[in-house]
């Protein structure tokens, strides 16, 4: 007797087919009717489709979506950590200030009883001046480098050489922190240091997922691993087998057809399909193919990327970068549309002394406050705006219709509502005045005042500056094209957002500011630049995407 | 958790991503305005924000899909929501399920795993996969349907407490 309440094999298969068509968004009217009819006759098929729907969503999420979720989760964590740190800094500053006030009051009262009155008065005055000095210092508490101190993750990118990333959204620069990230590169070399001192060198093409400080998954690529005693037990899974390190050096080479492990020093253990761990000693290797067949091999030391080999490659890479930079600068010097070029790492082009001026075609550049050169971790120079009034004023640039702004900078955090890259002096009031900044959510913003309008036109990108982009050198660019009526935000040569832009007569470049811009009037907004500033270039034309990429290419930078 | 909530109210993976992105921005905005710190219990409010955003997004964007798609989607989502108690956060064990799913995918035969990687990882369409394999698209669709059923069974084995949806 046939059970009429349960579908047969054909009906089950057909329901699966139609459900798949639904996922592909290509279900026709007849197919829709057929599927709904099957569901109404056999509720179990509807249940099956709902379960398939769940798995379908999960598979898409694993395939693409988890990176986005992790990115936003990491951003939220960084934001809260920095808020807590800033509140703590403010609380400590207030405690310190209260402590000083009490001390000075006690000392002043003790000295009043002494016969040497003039001396007592002097001490009081000095004490009061000291308090005023300390109070001024703490009135606007400077945010600490909270992102670096509180950054999560368990590894960092130490260096990259000629890396071409597979996906623009997952680019990791030197000093980027890593936390369960997947690194997918078409070519080049990435050196990763785990927080326990272990070192992994990844050679592309590669697809490598960090799970935690003791675990990773290598889908493809070659890894040279140097594992410290603290990192002993580090496991790398592959589609073919797993490797567990016991404080050693080894190479893992995974391709589509096979995977090999070569033990350079010490010992590893291998495991396939949850069997026992089998030791593999120094100078030995193992190769697995797609069918699961294994073969013992002799370890090939030439495959291992040691520190020395990496250092040699880095030297060659840096030499190429220098050559490119020289050639690039020669080309720039011949470009008539280049209105301004400040390079704080180059003493001939930069301004370091207080109130120094540098004239270039009637353009004056002046610094105010205590902007001074500092050496960053890499020994290169840049400029930092430490006090609230530290800034650079640029006067005398010509008005223009099309323009390109390029800034190379390293942001320490995004705690301010307005983290300004460049602005017109009287942006709040001047028609044609503009403001180019990054908000606390990592959105690049361009605001411009049109004639006769009270409010500004705003052009905001989606959030594109992420936690991993902080404390790394980044090239920001803005291109305004009068001819094609477009405005484009770029980050490291990639388009972050693009907008139609109604042409206006002229943009005012005659009085520009960069750095910290205190609020001059009651309703003005105080704006800051929290980080290091390296280069500023202003062109009176719209550069092409290719030209922007040349600025952002690793070869054009410091490293 | 947010991902689990979102996918119960919008029928397509790209819409789920849009919901999550918007909820994070909304949440950060609200955190600044309300001065929340890291001790703030974000779970319930994130849950609510995600559901509201998801419902709103599907209402706004359903016109982008055919009427036939909308009808099937509404039936699927209604069935999905009926089986789900959104106040019971213990059920929303998304990371456990995703980890189990990841392991189950890894344990599939290489050919099946490659099919999944091509489609979900690299975005290769069913038609293109069928052409590569010299097969009919409907045959490939059946393969995917069977794989999903297999993965569901595998997840159940790996998470004994996994609720039956």
């Amino acid at each position: 007797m046939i059970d009429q309440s349960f579908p047969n094999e054909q009906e089950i298969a057909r329901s699966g087919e139609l459900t798949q068509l639904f996922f592909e968004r290509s279900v026709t009217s007849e197919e829709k009717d057929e599927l709904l009819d099957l569901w109404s006759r056999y509720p179990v098929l509807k249940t099956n489709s709902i379960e398939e729907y769940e798995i379908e969503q999960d598979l898409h999420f694993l395939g693409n979506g988890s990176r986005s979720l992790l990115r936003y989760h990491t951003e939220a964590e960084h934001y809260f950590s920095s808020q807590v740190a800033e509140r703590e800094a403010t609380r400590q500053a207030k405690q310190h200030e209260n402590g000083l006030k009490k001390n000075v009051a006690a000392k002043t009262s003790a000295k009043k009883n002494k016969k040497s009155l003039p001396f007592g008065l002097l001490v009081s005055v000095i004490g009061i001046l000291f308090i005023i000095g300390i109070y001024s210092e703490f009135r606007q508490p400077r945010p600490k480098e909270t992102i670096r101190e509180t950054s999560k993750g368990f590894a960092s990118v130490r260096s990259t050489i000629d890396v071409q990333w597979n996906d623009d959204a997952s680019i990791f620069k030197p000093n980027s922190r890593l936390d369960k990230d997947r690194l997918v590169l078409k070519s080049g070399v990435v050196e990763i240091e785990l927080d326990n001192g272990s070192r992994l060198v990844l050679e592309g093409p590669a697809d490598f997922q960090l799970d935690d400080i003791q675990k990773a998954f290598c889908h493809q690529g070659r890894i040279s691993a140097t594992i410290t005693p603290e990192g002993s037990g580090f496991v790398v899974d592959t589609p073919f087998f797993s490797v567990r390190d016991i404080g050693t050096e080894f190479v893992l080479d995974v391709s589509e057809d096979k995977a090999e492990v070569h033990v350079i020093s010490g010992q590893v253990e291998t495991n396939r399909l949850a069997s026992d761990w089998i030791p593999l000693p120094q100078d030995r290797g193992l190769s697995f193919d797609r069918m699961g067949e294994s073969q013992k091999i002799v370890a090939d030391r030439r495959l291992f990327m040691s520190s020395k080999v990496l250092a040699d490659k880095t030297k060659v890479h840096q030499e190429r970068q220098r050559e490119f930079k020289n050639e690039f600068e020669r080309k720039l010097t011949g470009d008539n549309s280049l209105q301004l070029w400040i390079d704080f790492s180059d003493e001939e082009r930069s301004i370091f002394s207080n109130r120094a001026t540098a004239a270039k075609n009637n353009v004056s550049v002046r610094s105010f406050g205590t902007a001074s050169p500092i050496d960053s971790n890499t020994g290169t120079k840049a400029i930092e705006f430490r006090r609230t009034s530290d800034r650079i004023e640029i006067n005398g640039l010509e008005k223009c219709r099309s323009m390109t702004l390029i800034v190379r900078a390293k942001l320490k955090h995004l705690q301010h509502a307005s983290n300004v890259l460049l602005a017109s002096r009287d942006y709040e009031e001047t028609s044609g005045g503009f403001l180019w900044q990054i908000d606390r959510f990592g959105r690049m913003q361009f605001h411009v005042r049109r004639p006769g309008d009270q409010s500004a036109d705003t052009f905001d990108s989606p959030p594109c500056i992420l936690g991993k982009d902080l404390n790394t050198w980044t090239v920001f660019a803005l291109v305004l094209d009068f001819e094609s009526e477009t405005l484009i935000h770029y980050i490291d040569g990639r388009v972050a957002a693009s907008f139609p832009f109604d042409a206006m007569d002229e943009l005012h470049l005659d009085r520009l500011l960069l750095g910290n811009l205190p609020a001059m009037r009651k309703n003005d907004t105080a704006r800051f630049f929290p980080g290091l500033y390296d280069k500023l270039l202003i062109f009176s034309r719209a550069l092409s995407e290719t030209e922007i990429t040349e600025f952002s290419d690793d070869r054009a930078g410091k490293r | 958790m947010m991902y689990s909530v979102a996918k119960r109210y919008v029928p397509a993976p790209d819409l789920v991503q849009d919901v999550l992105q918007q909820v994070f921005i909304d949440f950060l905005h609200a955190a600044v305005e309300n001065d929340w710190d890291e001790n703030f219990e974000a779970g319930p409010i994130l849950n609510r924000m995600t559901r509201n955003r998801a419902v709103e997004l599907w209402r706004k964007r359903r016109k982008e899909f055919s009427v036939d798609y909308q009808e099937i989607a509404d039936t699927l989502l209604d069935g999905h929501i009926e089986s789900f108690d959104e106040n019971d956060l213990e059920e929303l064990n998304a990371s456990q399920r995703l980890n189990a799913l990841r392991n189950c995918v890894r344990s599939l035969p290489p050919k099946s795993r490659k099919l999944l990687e091509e489609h979900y990882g690299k975005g290769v369409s069913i038609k293109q996969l069928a052409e590569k394999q010299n097969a009919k698209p409907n045959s490939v669709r059946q393969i995917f349907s069977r794989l999903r059923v297999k993965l569901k069974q595998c997840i159940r084995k790996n998470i004994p407490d996994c609720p039956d949806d």
Side-chain angles (χ1 to χ4, degrees), chain A residues 12-33 35-36 39 46-66 68-69 71-73 75-76 79-81 83-84 87 209 211 215 217 219 237 239-240 256 290 440-441 443 462-463, chain B residues 2-3 6-17 20-21 24-25 27-29 31-32 35-38 65-69 71-73 75-77 79-80 82-83 97-98 101-102 105-106 110-111 113-114 116-117 119-121 123 126-127 138 141-142 144-146 148-149 151-152 155-156 164-165:
Chain A
I12 293 173
R14 184 61 181 154
S15 173
E17 244 176 71
L18 293 170
T19 304
Q20 177 61 44
L21 275 166
F22 163 74
F23 294 150
E24 293 168 53
R25 304 182 196 184
S26 56
V27 62
T28 63
S29 211
E30 291 77 24
E31 286 162 345
K32 179 258 304 179
D33 289 338
L35 181 60
L36 292 179
W39 285 354
K46 184 178 171 186
T47 306
N48 286 352
S49 292
I50 291 173
E51 289 180 352
E52 285 198 53
Y53 163 75
E54 276 259 15
I55 300 287
E56 173 74 4
Q57 290 269 25
D58 290 348
L59 284 167
H60 271 288
F61 187 78
L62 282 184
N64 288 306
S66 59
S68 301
L69 185 61
R71 189 171 77 207
Y72 288 114
H73 178 248
E75 287 313 295
Y79 172 78
F80 278 121
S81 301
Q83 287 296 303
V84 166
R87 265 193 283 277
Q209 164 84 48
D211 289 334
K215 207 164 192 290
F217 193 97
H219 299 265
D237 294 323
F240 300 84
E256 217 173 286
R290 295 184 70 172
R440 58 164 37 113
F441 301 115
R443 294 184 289 199
Chain B
M2 288 163 57
Y3 161 70
K7 71 176 180 177
R8 295 186 191 260
Y9 292 96
V10 291
D14 50 336
L15 296 183
V16 169
Q17 288 304 312
L20 296 181
Q21 176 175 342
F24 267 112
I25 291 176
F27 179 71
L28 287 178
H29 197 64
V32 166
D35 202 26
W36 294 331
D37 63 19
E38 63 175 11
F65 301 85
S66 70
V67 171
D68 300 312
Y69 181 94
E71 209 174 320
I72 298 176
T75 311
L76 261 183
L77 292 176
H80 214 199
E82 271 168 21
S83 61
R97 287 169 59 100
L98 288 170
L101 178 61
R102 192 183 284 121
V105 169
R106 285 178 187 170
K111 206 174 168 187
R113 196 173 57 240
K114 187 165 181 187
L116 295 180
E117 281 168 3
H119 183 60
Y120 295 105
I126 298 290
K127 278 190 185 156
N138 272 349
R141 287 187 183 107
Q142 285 185 19
F144 269 83
S145 179
R146 283 200 294 272
R148 280 191 289 265
V149 169
L151 288 169
K152 181 77 184 182
I155 288 171
R156 283 205 180 110
D164 289 337
D165 292 312

Side-chain angles (χ1 to χ4, degrees), chain A residues 473-541:
Chain A
W473 288 104
T474 307
V475 176
F476 304 97
L478 180 96
V479 174
L480 203 51
D481 193 338
F482 178 76
E483 299 293 332
S484 63
E485 295 188 332
T486 51
L487 181 148
I488 307 177
H489 288 293
Y490 288 90
I491 290 185
D492 284 333
R494 305 183 317 273
V495 174
S498 169
F499 305 91
F501 182 80
D502 286 341
M504 39 191 298
D505 287 331
E506 278 160 345
L507 287 159
H508 282 230
L509 299 181
D510 51 345
R511 292 182 72 193
L512 298 179
L513 291 173
L514 58 108
N516 296 336
L517 318 179
M520 304 298 286
R521 284 170 281 266
K522 193 181 168 190
N523 294 325
D524 285 357
T525 307
R527 307 184 193 279
F528 304 93
F529 182 77
L532 306 180
Y533 213 100
D534 172 25
K535 287 181 179 50
L536 167 65
L537 294 97
I538 300 179
F539 293 82
S540 57
R541 68 175 174 95

Side-chain angles (χ1 to χ4, degrees), chain A residues 75-287:
Chain A
E75 287 313 295
E77 277 193 308
H78 281 155
Y79 172 78
F80 278 121
S81 301
S82 64
Q83 287 296 303
V84 166
E86 187 178 341
R87 265 193 283 277
E88 184 60 22
T90 310
R91 190 188 64 77
Q92 284 179 9
K94 279 191 177 149
Q95 273 184 351
H96 182 70
E97 184 192 319
N98 290 338
L100 280 171
K101 276 183 181 167
K102 282 182 190 163
N103 280 345
V104 169
K107 280 182 185 169
T108 309
S109 136
K111 285 190 190 315
K112 263 186 183 171
N113 296 328
K114 285 192 176 176
K115 283 183 182 175
S116 52
L117 192 56
F119 181 71
L121 191 60
L122 184 65
V123 167
S124 303
V125 168
I126 290 171
I128 289 166
L129 286 174
F130 185 62
I131 290 169
I132 291 170
I134 295 290
Y135 182 70
S136 306
E137 191 69 17
F138 283 101
R139 219 169 101 204
Q140 291 187 39
R142 287 195 301 274
K144 287 186 179 174
E145 291 187 38
T146 53
I147 295 296
R148 191 182 300 216
E149 287 164 8
T150 61
S151 62
K152 304 293 180 194
F154 49 84
S156 301
V157 172
R158 273 193 65 173
S159 64
T160 61
I161 301 174
D162 288 335
V163 172
Q164 261 202 306
W165 296 99
N166 207 43
D167 177 351
D168 281 350
S170 296
I171 290 177
F172 301 92
K173 294 182 276 192
N175 297 326
S176 295
R177 289 291 290 166
L178 299 173
D179 185 347
K180 294 186 184 171
D181 287 297
R182 187 166 175 171
L183 291 86
V184 187
L185 42 150
K186 289 181 191 166
S187 62
V189 176
V190 177
E191 189 189 3
I192 298 166
E193 184 172 0
L194 303 176
D195 288 351
N196 57 22
S198 298
R199 194 173 130 271
L200 307 168
V201 179
L202 204 58
E203 293 175 71
D207 183 348
F208 184 72
Q209 164 84 48
L210 276 169
D211 289 334
D212 59 45
I213 201 169
Q214 286 288 90
K215 207 164 192 290
F217 193 97
C218 181
H219 299 265
Q220 185 194 6
R222 183 182 297 164
I223 308 166
S224 298
T226 304
I227 307 298
T228 59
E230 290 76 24
S232 178
F234 181 71
V235 171
V236 183
D237 294 323
T238 75
F240 300 84
F241 64 95
S242 301
V243 174
R244 183 164 69 188
D245 176 87
I246 318 173
T248 185
E249 292 174 328
F250 66 91
V251 176
L252 192 57
D253 198 345
V254 181
S255 64
E256 217 173 286
D257 299 323
K258 65 175 180 173
E260 293 180 353
V261 59
H262 302 253
V263 184
I264 307 301
S265 73
Q267 186 173 291
V268 304
E269 292 173 329
T270 61
N271 176 315
R272 179 168 157 74
L273 295 177
S275 59
D276 292 332
W277 289 99
I278 299 167
L280 196 60
Q282 183 170 320
D283 294 329
R284 290 280 180 265
L286 212 55
S287 172

